[in-house]
Amino acid sequence: MHINLEERISMPGGTQRSTTPRDLAEDPDAWPHAIMTGHPQARVVQALARALGERLKERGLSLRQAATLTGVNRQAIVNLLNGISWPDVVTVSLLEDGLDVALWPGAASPASEKCG
């Protein structure tokens, strides 16, 4: 089986993730409030970063406190907030559960509450 370069780039985990979500914004310095034309997956990460930042601010939590509550490495939280990583489902779920907030765009409660 042969996969050409274009197919590999479009596959999850391909070279497509070598560019950070922040770098896909029209003005990366305005992250997470930058205009994001196209790049729907980067817009999801941007929405996650905004929601997480708002929740931390509302609760007056430091990054260290958030890491302790969620079990997510402090640097992983920093990377998400700064738009320099593509968070995985485990990270998002741990953040939602530990902070008791829906971070995923359009969700009303943490996703794990709906699984059963």
Side-chain angles (χ1 to χ4, degrees), residues 55-108:
R55 183 60 169 187
L56 295 178
K57 186 176 179 181
E58 282 172 10
R59 293 191 52 192
L61 293 173
S62 70
L63 295 171
R64 194 172 309 269
Q65 290 168 320
T68 299
L69 285 171
T70 64
V72 174
N73 178 287
R74 185 190 62 79
Q75 189 61 51
I77 296 172
V78 169
N79 291 348
L80 171 55
L81 289 169
N82 291 326
I84 57 175
S85 69
W86 295 93
D88 61 27
V89 67
V90 172
T91 300
V92 174
S93 182
L94 285 169
L95 289 167
E96 286 188 336
D97 288 344
L99 299 173
D100 192 32
V101 64
L103 298 175
W104 195 264

mmCIF file of all heavy atoms in Angstrom, residues 55-108:
data_model
loop_
_atom_site.group_PDB
_atom_site.id
_atom_site.type_symbol
_atom_site.label_atom_id
_atom_site.label_comp_id
_atom_site.label_asym_id
_atom_site.label_seq_id
_atom_site.Cartn_x
_atom_site.Cartn_y
_atom_site.Cartn_z
ATOM 1 N N ARG A 55 -12.027 30.285 32.934
ATOM 2 C CA ARG A 55 -12.339 29.492 34.132
ATOM 3 C C ARG A 55 -11.270 29.685 35.204
ATOM 4 O O ARG A 55 -11.575 29.854 36.380
ATOM 5 C CB ARG A 55 -12.488 28.017 33.783
ATOM 6 C CG ARG A 55 -12.870 27.152 34.948
ATOM 7 C CD ARG A 55 -14.198 27.586 35.540
ATOM 8 N NE ARG A 55 -14.659 26.578 36.476
ATOM 9 C CZ ARG A 55 -15.816 26.590 37.058
ATOM 10 N NH1 ARG A 55 -16.671 27.550 36.800
ATOM 11 N NH2 ARG A 55 -16.157 25.649 37.893
ATOM 12 N N LEU A 56 -10.013 29.668 34.811
ATOM 13 C CA LEU A 56 -8.929 29.861 35.772
ATOM 14 C C LEU A 56 -9.025 31.238 36.413
ATOM 15 O O LEU A 56 -8.855 31.376 37.628
ATOM 16 C CB LEU A 56 -7.565 29.676 35.098
ATOM 17 C CG LEU A 56 -7.258 28.272 34.574
ATOM 18 C CD1 LEU A 56 -5.893 28.253 33.895
ATOM 19 C CD2 LEU A 56 -7.340 27.231 35.681
ATOM 20 N N LYS A 57 -9.325 32.241 35.597
ATOM 21 C CA LYS A 57 -9.451 33.606 36.109
ATOM 22 C C LYS A 57 -10.643 33.725 37.066
ATOM 23 O O LYS A 57 -10.527 34.303 38.141
ATOM 24 C CB LYS A 57 -9.596 34.587 34.945
ATOM 25 C CG LYS A 57 -9.601 36.031 35.364
ATOM 26 C CD LYS A 57 -9.659 36.950 34.164
ATOM 27 C CE LYS A 57 -9.695 38.396 34.597
ATOM 28 N NZ LYS A 57 -9.765 39.306 33.459
ATOM 29 N N GLU A 58 -11.798 33.165 36.669
ATOM 30 C CA GLU A 58 -13.006 33.196 37.512
ATOM 31 C C GLU A 58 -12.743 32.618 38.891
ATOM 32 O O GLU A 58 -13.209 33.133 39.893
ATOM 33 C CB GLU A 58 -14.128 32.360 36.882
ATOM 34 C CG GLU A 58 -14.863 32.981 35.754
ATOM 35 C CD GLU A 58 -15.808 31.977 35.091
ATOM 36 O OE1 GLU A 58 -16.028 30.865 35.638
ATOM 37 O OE2 GLU A 58 -16.328 32.308 34.014
ATOM 38 N N ARG A 59 -12.029 31.505 38.916
ATOM 39 C CA ARG A 59 -11.779 30.793 40.176
ATOM 40 C C ARG A 59 -10.519 31.270 40.888
ATOM 41 O O ARG A 59 -10.225 30.811 41.983
ATOM 42 C CB ARG A 59 -11.707 29.294 39.923
ATOM 43 C CG ARG A 59 -13.071 28.759 39.487
ATOM 44 C CD ARG A 59 -13.198 27.286 39.455
ATOM 45 N NE ARG A 59 -12.794 26.619 40.663
ATOM 46 C CZ ARG A 59 -12.613 25.308 40.749
ATOM 47 N NH1 ARG A 59 -12.809 24.541 39.694
ATOM 48 N NH2 ARG A 59 -12.234 24.753 41.878
ATOM 49 N N GLY A 60 -9.779 32.177 40.264
ATOM 50 C CA GLY A 60 -8.555 32.688 40.877
ATOM 51 C C GLY A 60 -7.495 31.616 41.054
ATOM 52 O O GLY A 60 -6.758 31.630 42.038
ATOM 53 N N LEU A 61 -7.429 30.693 40.099
ATOM 54 C CA LEU A 61 -6.493 29.572 40.202
ATOM 55 C C LEU A 61 -5.176 29.868 39.498
ATOM 56 O O LEU A 61 -5.167 30.391 38.381
ATOM 57 C CB LEU A 61 -7.098 28.316 39.578
ATOM 58 C CG LEU A 61 -8.309 27.713 40.282
ATOM 59 C CD1 LEU A 61 -8.888 26.575 39.449
ATOM 60 C CD2 LEU A 61 -7.926 27.222 41.666
ATOM 61 N N SER A 62 -4.094 29.502 40.133
ATOM 62 C CA SER A 62 -2.787 29.567 39.481
ATOM 63 C C SER A 62 -2.643 28.338 38.587
ATOM 64 O O SER A 62 -3.418 27.373 38.692
ATOM 65 C CB SER A 62 -1.677 29.564 40.530
ATOM 66 O OG SER A 62 -1.594 28.291 41.160
ATOM 67 N N LEU A 63 -1.645 28.365 37.746
ATOM 68 C CA LEU A 63 -1.383 27.201 36.887
ATOM 69 C C LEU A 63 -1.030 25.982 37.726
ATOM 70 O O LEU A 63 -1.436 24.864 37.418
ATOM 71 C CB LEU A 63 -0.264 27.520 35.894
ATOM 72 C CG LEU A 63 -0.609 28.612 34.889
ATOM 73 C CD1 LEU A 63 0.629 29.010 34.101
ATOM 74 C CD2 LEU A 63 -1.707 28.142 33.955
ATOM 75 N N ARG A 64 -0.284 26.189 38.772
ATOM 76 C CA ARG A 64 0.096 25.087 39.664
ATOM 77 C C ARG A 64 -1.143 24.484 40.336
ATOM 78 O O ARG A 64 -1.285 23.267 40.426
ATOM 79 C CB ARG A 64 1.092 25.580 40.699
ATOM 80 C CG ARG A 64 1.803 24.485 41.451
ATOM 81 C CD ARG A 64 2.911 25.027 42.335
ATOM 82 N NE ARG A 64 3.821 25.912 41.629
ATOM 83 C CZ ARG A 64 4.928 25.530 41.008
ATOM 84 N NH1 ARG A 64 5.261 24.266 41.004
ATOM 85 N NH2 ARG A 64 5.699 26.404 40.394
ATOM 86 N N GLN A 65 -2.053 25.340 40.795
ATOM 87 C CA GLN A 65 -3.286 24.849 41.410
ATOM 88 C C GLN A 65 -4.133 24.089 40.398
ATOM 89 O O GLN A 65 -4.708 23.043 40.714
ATOM 90 C CB GLN A 65 -4.087 26.010 41.999
ATOM 91 C CG GLN A 65 -3.449 26.637 43.219
ATOM 92 C CD GLN A 65 -4.114 27.948 43.602
ATOM 93 O OE1 GLN A 65 -4.467 28.760 42.749
ATOM 94 N NE2 GLN A 65 -4.286 28.156 44.902
ATOM 95 N N ALA A 66 -4.224 24.609 39.174
ATOM 96 C CA ALA A 66 -4.989 23.931 38.125
ATOM 97 C C ALA A 66 -4.384 22.568 37.832
ATOM 98 O O ALA A 66 -5.109 21.574 37.655
ATOM 99 C CB ALA A 66 -5.028 24.780 36.864
ATOM 100 N N ALA A 67 -3.072 22.492 37.799
ATOM 101 C CA ALA A 67 -2.400 21.212 37.547
ATOM 102 C C ALA A 67 -2.717 20.204 38.647
ATOM 103 O O ALA A 67 -3.006 19.032 38.383
ATOM 104 C CB ALA A 67 -0.894 21.427 37.424
ATOM 105 N N THR A 68 -2.710 20.670 39.880
ATOM 106 C CA THR A 68 -3.014 19.788 41.011
ATOM 107 C C THR A 68 -4.457 19.297 40.955
ATOM 108 O O THR A 68 -4.732 18.123 41.168
ATOM 109 C CB THR A 68 -2.761 20.528 42.347
ATOM 110 O OG1 THR A 68 -1.377 20.903 42.401
ATOM 111 C CG2 THR A 68 -3.097 19.658 43.536
ATOM 112 N N LEU A 69 -5.385 20.186 40.655
ATOM 113 C CA LEU A 69 -6.805 19.820 40.595
ATOM 114 C C LEU A 69 -7.134 18.870 39.448
ATOM 115 O O LEU A 69 -8.042 18.049 39.556
ATOM 116 C CB LEU A 69 -7.662 21.081 40.433
ATOM 117 C CG LEU A 69 -7.851 21.953 41.657
ATOM 118 C CD1 LEU A 69 -8.538 23.256 41.276
ATOM 119 C CD2 LEU A 69 -8.662 21.211 42.718
ATOM 120 N N THR A 70 -6.421 19.015 38.342
ATOM 121 C CA THR A 70 -6.788 18.277 37.132
ATOM 122 C C THR A 70 -5.921 17.062 36.840
ATOM 123 O O THR A 70 -6.330 16.184 36.088
ATOM 124 C CB THR A 70 -6.720 19.202 35.903
ATOM 125 O OG1 THR A 70 -5.366 19.632 35.718
ATOM 126 C CG2 THR A 70 -7.646 20.396 36.065
ATOM 127 N N GLY A 71 -4.716 17.045 37.372
ATOM 128 C CA GLY A 71 -3.790 15.967 37.035
ATOM 129 C C GLY A 71 -3.102 16.202 35.699
ATOM 130 O O GLY A 71 -2.438 15.314 35.173
ATOM 131 N N VAL A 72 -3.264 17.397 35.146
ATOM 132 C CA VAL A 72 -2.620 17.754 33.881
ATOM 133 C C VAL A 72 -1.350 18.538 34.215
ATOM 134 O O VAL A 72 -1.389 19.466 35.017
ATOM 135 C CB VAL A 72 -3.557 18.604 32.987
ATOM 136 C CG1 VAL A 72 -2.838 19.098 31.737
ATOM 137 C CG2 VAL A 72 -4.790 17.799 32.609
ATOM 138 N N ASN A 73 -0.265 18.166 33.585
ATOM 139 C CA ASN A 73 1.015 18.831 33.786
ATOM 140 C C ASN A 73 0.864 20.332 33.562
ATOM 141 O O ASN A 73 0.221 20.763 32.618
ATOM 142 C CB ASN A 73 2.019 18.218 32.804
ATOM 143 C CG ASN A 73 3.366 18.847 32.864
ATOM 144 O OD1 ASN A 73 3.548 19.972 32.414
ATOM 145 N ND2 ASN A 73 4.312 18.107 33.403
ATOM 146 N N ARG A 74 1.483 21.130 34.445
ATOM 147 C CA ARG A 74 1.391 22.584 34.349
ATOM 148 C C ARG A 74 1.842 23.081 32.982
ATOM 149 O O ARG A 74 1.212 23.963 32.390
ATOM 150 C CB ARG A 74 2.239 23.242 35.450
ATOM 151 C CG ARG A 74 2.107 24.743 35.510
ATOM 152 C CD ARG A 74 3.118 25.380 36.440
ATOM 153 N NE ARG A 74 4.477 25.163 36.021
ATOM 154 C CZ ARG A 74 5.099 25.839 35.041
ATOM 155 N NH1 ARG A 74 4.464 26.780 34.391
ATOM 156 N NH2 ARG A 74 6.339 25.569 34.715
ATOM 157 N N GLN A 75 2.903 22.506 32.442
ATOM 158 C CA GLN A 75 3.395 22.953 31.135
ATOM 159 C C GLN A 75 2.387 22.641 30.026
ATOM 160 O O GLN A 75 2.230 23.416 29.092
ATOM 161 C CB GLN A 75 4.752 22.320 30.804
ATOM 162 C CG GLN A 75 5.405 22.916 29.574
ATOM 163 C CD GLN A 75 5.686 24.401 29.720
ATOM 164 O OE1 GLN A 75 6.291 24.834 30.700
ATOM 165 N NE2 GLN A 75 5.244 25.198 28.765
ATOM 166 N N ALA A 76 1.663 21.546 30.144
ATOM 167 C CA ALA A 76 0.625 21.227 29.157
ATOM 168 C C ALA A 76 -0.493 22.268 29.199
ATOM 169 O O ALA A 76 -1.038 22.641 28.153
ATOM 170 C CB ALA A 76 0.064 19.829 29.396
ATOM 171 N N ILE A 77 -0.807 22.749 30.395
ATOM 172 C CA ILE A 77 -1.824 23.804 30.530
ATOM 173 C C ILE A 77 -1.317 25.092 29.897
ATOM 174 O O ILE A 77 -2.040 25.753 29.141
ATOM 175 C CB ILE A 77 -2.202 24.012 32.017
ATOM 176 C CG1 ILE A 77 -2.858 22.748 32.573
ATOM 177 C CG2 ILE A 77 -3.124 25.220 32.174
ATOM 178 C CD1 ILE A 77 -3.086 22.767 34.078
ATOM 179 N N VAL A 78 -0.071 25.441 30.175
ATOM 180 C CA VAL A 78 0.536 26.636 29.576
ATOM 181 C C VAL A 78 0.517 26.534 28.057
ATOM 182 O O VAL A 78 0.162 27.495 27.359
ATOM 183 C CB VAL A 78 1.990 26.828 30.087
ATOM 184 C CG1 VAL A 78 2.723 27.891 29.286
ATOM 185 C CG2 VAL A 78 1.990 27.178 31.561
ATOM 186 N N ASN A 79 0.889 25.383 27.538
ATOM 187 C CA ASN A 79 0.932 25.189 26.079
ATOM 188 C C ASN A 79 -0.446 25.342 25.450
ATOM 189 O O ASN A 79 -0.583 25.939 24.378
ATOM 190 C CB ASN A 79 1.523 23.829 25.738
ATOM 191 C CG ASN A 79 2.992 23.729 26.065
ATOM 192 O OD1 ASN A 79 3.666 24.725 26.344
ATOM 193 N ND2 ASN A 79 3.510 22.516 26.044
ATOM 194 N N LEU A 80 -1.472 24.831 26.107
ATOM 195 C CA LEU A 80 -2.834 24.983 25.588
ATOM 196 C C LEU A 80 -3.254 26.450 25.638
ATOM 197 O O LEU A 80 -3.764 26.996 24.658
ATOM 198 C CB LEU A 80 -3.813 24.121 26.387
ATOM 199 C CG LEU A 80 -5.301 24.331 26.117
ATOM 200 C CD1 LEU A 80 -5.650 24.180 24.645
ATOM 201 C CD2 LEU A 80 -6.128 23.383 26.952
ATOM 202 N N LEU A 81 -3.032 27.097 26.771
ATOM 203 C CA LEU A 81 -3.413 28.504 26.906
ATOM 204 C C LEU A 81 -2.710 29.391 25.883
ATOM 205 O O LEU A 81 -3.287 30.356 25.386
ATOM 206 C CB LEU A 81 -3.095 29.005 28.315
ATOM 207 C CG LEU A 81 -3.980 28.466 29.431
ATOM 208 C CD1 LEU A 81 -3.397 28.826 30.785
ATOM 209 C CD2 LEU A 81 -5.407 28.963 29.299
ATOM 210 N N ASN A 82 -1.476 29.052 25.551
ATOM 211 C CA ASN A 82 -0.688 29.849 24.606
ATOM 212 C C ASN A 82 -0.836 29.405 23.155
ATOM 213 O O ASN A 82 -0.229 30.004 22.268
ATOM 214 C CB ASN A 82 0.789 29.838 25.009
ATOM 215 C CG ASN A 82 1.017 30.610 26.281
ATOM 216 O OD1 ASN A 82 0.348 31.598 26.550
ATOM 217 N ND2 ASN A 82 1.960 30.155 27.085
ATOM 218 N N GLY A 83 -1.636 28.373 22.917
ATOM 219 C CA GLY A 83 -1.890 27.926 21.545
ATOM 220 C C GLY A 83 -0.705 27.274 20.869
ATOM 221 O O GLY A 83 -0.611 27.297 19.649
ATOM 222 N N ILE A 84 0.174 26.677 21.656
ATOM 223 C CA ILE A 84 1.353 26.061 21.039
ATOM 224 C C ILE A 84 1.298 24.543 21.053
ATOM 225 O O ILE A 84 2.296 23.883 20.745
ATOM 226 C CB ILE A 84 2.668 26.571 21.677
ATOM 227 C CG1 ILE A 84 2.695 26.323 23.174
ATOM 228 C CG2 ILE A 84 2.852 28.046 21.383
ATOM 229 C CD1 ILE A 84 4.025 26.699 23.820
ATOM 230 N N SER A 85 0.138 23.989 21.397
ATOM 231 C CA SER A 85 -0.020 22.541 21.346
ATOM 232 C C SER A 85 -1.414 22.191 20.832
ATOM 233 O O SER A 85 -2.325 23.015 20.852
ATOM 234 C CB SER A 85 0.193 21.918 22.728
ATOM 235 O OG SER A 85 -0.868 22.276 23.597
ATOM 236 N N TRP A 86 -1.537 20.967 20.366
ATOM 237 C CA TRP A 86 -2.814 20.402 19.941
ATOM 238 C C TRP A 86 -3.229 19.446 21.060
ATOM 239 O O TRP A 86 -2.742 18.324 21.108
ATOM 240 C CB TRP A 86 -2.660 19.655 18.617
ATOM 241 C CG TRP A 86 -2.287 20.541 17.481
ATOM 242 C CD1 TRP A 86 -1.042 20.822 17.031
ATOM 243 C CD2 TRP A 86 -3.183 21.274 16.642
ATOM 244 N NE1 TRP A 86 -1.107 21.676 15.966
ATOM 245 C CE2 TRP A 86 -2.406 21.966 15.697
ATOM 246 C CE3 TRP A 86 -4.581 21.398 16.602
ATOM 247 C CZ2 TRP A 86 -2.967 22.785 14.725
ATOM 248 C CZ3 TRP A 86 -5.129 22.213 15.625
ATOM 249 C CH2 TRP A 86 -4.340 22.891 14.696
ATOM 250 N N PRO A 87 -4.078 19.875 22.003
ATOM 251 C CA PRO A 87 -4.397 19.018 23.152
ATOM 252 C C PRO A 87 -5.139 17.753 22.734
ATOM 253 O O PRO A 87 -5.929 17.768 21.792
ATOM 254 C CB PRO A 87 -5.282 19.911 24.021
ATOM 255 C CG PRO A 87 -5.870 20.891 23.075
ATOM 256 C CD PRO A 87 -4.829 21.117 22.009
ATOM 257 N N ASP A 88 -4.857 16.676 23.450
ATOM 258 C CA ASP A 88 -5.543 15.418 23.149
ATOM 259 C C ASP A 88 -6.799 15.284 24.002
ATOM 260 O O ASP A 88 -7.051 16.093 24.910
ATOM 261 C CB ASP A 88 -4.602 14.228 23.337
ATOM 262 C CG ASP A 88 -4.082 14.095 24.768
ATOM 263 O OD1 ASP A 88 -4.758 14.540 25.715
ATOM 264 O OD2 ASP A 88 -2.990 13.534 24.940
ATOM 265 N N VAL A 89 -7.583 14.276 23.723
ATOM 266 C CA VAL A 89 -8.869 14.101 24.391
ATOM 267 C C VAL A 89 -8.683 13.840 25.884
ATOM 268 O O VAL A 89 -9.491 14.294 26.705
ATOM 269 C CB VAL A 89 -9.699 12.978 23.710
ATOM 270 C CG1 VAL A 89 -9.055 11.625 23.901
ATOM 271 C CG2 VAL A 89 -11.130 12.988 24.195
ATOM 272 N N VAL A 90 -7.620 13.157 26.283
ATOM 273 C CA VAL A 90 -7.378 12.895 27.698
ATOM 274 C C VAL A 90 -7.138 14.209 28.433
ATOM 275 O O VAL A 90 -7.700 14.449 29.510
ATOM 276 C CB VAL A 90 -6.191 11.925 27.884
ATOM 277 C CG1 VAL A 90 -5.814 11.790 29.349
ATOM 278 C CG2 VAL A 90 -6.524 10.564 27.287
ATOM 279 N N THR A 91 -6.315 15.071 27.861
ATOM 280 C CA THR A 91 -6.022 16.362 28.479
ATOM 281 C C THR A 91 -7.294 17.191 28.646
ATOM 282 O O THR A 91 -7.560 17.727 29.726
ATOM 283 C CB THR A 91 -4.981 17.133 27.640
ATOM 284 O OG1 THR A 91 -3.786 16.359 27.573
ATOM 285 C CG2 THR A 91 -4.687 18.499 28.242
ATOM 286 N N VAL A 92 -8.084 17.284 27.597
ATOM 287 C CA VAL A 92 -9.321 18.081 27.662
ATOM 288 C C VAL A 92 -10.274 17.498 28.705
ATOM 289 O O VAL A 92 -10.837 18.222 29.521
ATOM 290 C CB VAL A 92 -9.991 18.182 26.279
ATOM 291 C CG1 VAL A 92 -11.349 18.886 26.381
ATOM 292 C CG2 VAL A 92 -9.084 18.909 25.301
ATOM 293 N N SER A 93 -10.424 16.192 28.733
ATOM 294 C CA SER A 93 -11.329 15.559 29.685
ATOM 295 C C SER A 93 -10.850 15.750 31.123
ATOM 296 O O SER A 93 -11.652 16.057 32.022
ATOM 297 C CB SER A 93 -11.450 14.061 29.373
ATOM 298 O OG SER A 93 -12.365 13.445 30.251
ATOM 299 N N LEU A 94 -9.562 15.612 31.376
ATOM 300 C CA LEU A 94 -9.028 15.837 32.723
ATOM 301 C C LEU A 94 -9.243 17.284 33.167
ATOM 302 O O LEU A 94 -9.605 17.540 34.322
ATOM 303 C CB LEU A 94 -7.536 15.498 32.777
ATOM 304 C CG LEU A 94 -7.178 14.013 32.774
ATOM 305 C CD1 LEU A 94 -5.679 13.830 32.549
ATOM 306 C CD2 LEU A 94 -7.623 13.336 34.062
ATOM 307 N N LEU A 95 -9.016 18.223 32.261
ATOM 308 C CA LEU A 95 -9.234 19.632 32.589
ATOM 309 C C LEU A 95 -10.706 19.892 32.909
ATOM 310 O O LEU A 95 -11.036 20.563 33.891
ATOM 311 C CB LEU A 95 -8.760 20.533 31.446
ATOM 312 C CG LEU A 95 -7.252 20.628 31.253
ATOM 313 C CD1 LEU A 95 -6.920 21.279 29.915
ATOM 314 C CD2 LEU A 95 -6.606 21.387 32.405
ATOM 315 N N GLU A 96 -11.599 19.363 32.072
ATOM 316 C CA GLU A 96 -13.037 19.565 32.307
ATOM 317 C C GLU A 96 -13.461 18.970 33.644
ATOM 318 O O GLU A 96 -14.156 19.613 34.430
ATOM 319 C CB GLU A 96 -13.857 18.942 31.179
ATOM 320 C CG GLU A 96 -13.819 19.718 29.898
ATOM 321 C CD GLU A 96 -14.798 19.189 28.861
ATOM 322 O OE1 GLU A 96 -15.183 17.990 28.905
ATOM 323 O OE2 GLU A 96 -15.207 19.990 28.008
ATOM 324 N N ASP A 97 -13.048 17.741 33.912
ATOM 325 C CA ASP A 97 -13.459 17.085 35.149
ATOM 326 C C ASP A 97 -12.856 17.757 36.380
ATOM 327 O O ASP A 97 -13.542 17.978 37.369
ATOM 328 C CB ASP A 97 -13.071 15.602 35.123
ATOM 329 C CG ASP A 97 -13.922 14.786 34.167
ATOM 330 O OD1 ASP A 97 -14.991 15.264 33.743
ATOM 331 O OD2 ASP A 97 -13.503 13.658 33.829
ATOM 332 N N GLY A 98 -11.568 18.072 36.303
ATOM 333 C CA GLY A 98 -10.893 18.664 37.457
ATOM 334 C C GLY A 98 -11.370 20.056 37.800
ATOM 335 O O GLY A 98 -11.370 20.458 38.959
ATOM 336 N N LEU A 99 -11.797 20.802 36.777
ATOM 337 C CA LEU A 99 -12.273 22.170 36.996
ATOM 338 C C LEU A 99 -13.796 22.265 36.997
ATOM 339 O O LEU A 99 -14.355 23.334 37.193
ATOM 340 C CB LEU A 99 -11.695 23.103 35.920
ATOM 341 C CG LEU A 99 -10.169 23.206 35.902
ATOM 342 C CD1 LEU A 99 -9.709 24.004 34.692
ATOM 343 C CD2 LEU A 99 -9.661 23.813 37.196
ATOM 344 N N ASP A 100 -14.450 21.121 36.736
ATOM 345 C CA ASP A 100 -15.913 21.046 36.679
ATOM 346 C C ASP A 100 -16.484 22.105 35.748
ATOM 347 O O ASP A 100 -17.316 22.925 36.131
ATOM 348 C CB ASP A 100 -16.532 21.171 38.073
ATOM 349 C CG ASP A 100 -18.009 20.805 38.070
ATOM 350 O OD1 ASP A 100 -18.407 19.938 37.256
ATOM 351 O OD2 ASP A 100 -18.768 21.392 38.858
ATOM 352 N N VAL A 101 -15.998 22.070 34.516
ATOM 353 C CA VAL A 101 -16.428 23.040 33.515
ATOM 354 C C VAL A 101 -16.404 22.381 32.142
ATOM 355 O O VAL A 101 -15.587 21.501 31.884
ATOM 356 C CB VAL A 101 -15.512 24.287 33.531
ATOM 357 C CG1 VAL A 101 -14.096 23.945 33.139
ATOM 358 C CG2 VAL A 101 -16.066 25.399 32.665
ATOM 359 N N ALA A 102 -17.298 22.795 31.282
ATOM 360 C CA ALA A 102 -17.261 22.355 29.887
ATOM 361 C C ALA A 102 -16.320 23.294 29.139
ATOM 362 O O ALA A 102 -16.531 24.506 29.139
ATOM 363 C CB ALA A 102 -18.651 22.403 29.274
ATOM 364 N N LEU A 103 -15.284 22.749 28.563
ATOM 365 C CA LEU A 103 -14.352 23.551 27.770
ATOM 366 C C LEU A 103 -14.614 23.402 26.282
ATOM 367 O O LEU A 103 -14.331 24.306 25.512
ATOM 368 C CB LEU A 103 -12.902 23.130 28.077
ATOM 369 C CG LEU A 103 -12.435 23.323 29.517
ATOM 370 C CD1 LEU A 103 -11.026 22.759 29.689
ATOM 371 C CD2 LEU A 103 -12.497 24.779 29.927
ATOM 372 N N TRP A 104 -15.142 22.250 25.882
ATOM 373 C CA TRP A 104 -15.385 21.992 24.466
ATOM 374 C C TRP A 104 -16.454 22.952 23.964
ATOM 375 O O TRP A 104 -17.480 23.127 24.597
ATOM 376 C CB TRP A 104 -15.823 20.547 24.256
ATOM 377 C CG TRP A 104 -15.737 20.145 22.825
ATOM 378 C CD1 TRP A 104 -16.747 20.158 21.912
ATOM 379 C CD2 TRP A 104 -14.572 19.729 22.129
ATOM 380 N NE1 TRP A 104 -16.285 19.763 20.688
ATOM 381 C CE2 TRP A 104 -14.939 19.491 20.785
ATOM 382 C CE3 TRP A 104 -13.242 19.527 22.494
ATOM 383 C CZ2 TRP A 104 -14.046 19.061 19.818
ATOM 384 C CZ3 TRP A 104 -12.354 19.090 21.526
ATOM 385 C CH2 TRP A 104 -12.758 18.872 20.205
ATOM 386 N N PRO A 105 -16.214 23.594 22.817
ATOM 387 C CA PRO A 105 -17.188 24.556 22.291
ATOM 388 C C PRO A 105 -18.592 23.951 22.155
ATOM 389 O O PRO A 105 -18.754 22.886 21.594
ATOM 390 C CB PRO A 105 -16.613 24.907 20.908
ATOM 391 C CG PRO A 105 -15.166 24.573 20.991
ATOM 392 C CD PRO A 105 -15.056 23.420 21.942
ATOM 393 N N GLY A 106 -19.563 24.642 22.701
ATOM 394 C CA GLY A 106 -20.954 24.222 22.598
ATOM 395 C C GLY A 106 -21.414 23.243 23.649
ATOM 396 O O GLY A 106 -22.599 22.960 23.746
ATOM 397 N N ALA A 107 -20.502 22.720 24.459
ATOM 398 C CA ALA A 107 -20.880 21.757 25.491
ATOM 399 C C ALA A 107 -21.413 22.487 26.712
ATOM 400 O O ALA A 107 -20.938 23.565 27.070
ATOM 401 C CB ALA A 107 -19.688 20.890 25.879
ATOM 402 N N ALA A 108 -22.398 21.891 27.371
ATOM 403 C CA ALA A 108 -22.991 22.505 28.551
ATOM 404 C C ALA A 108 -22.387 21.958 29.843
ATOM 405 O O ALA A 108 -22.511 22.566 30.900
ATOM 406 C CB ALA A 108 -24.503 22.256 28.554
#
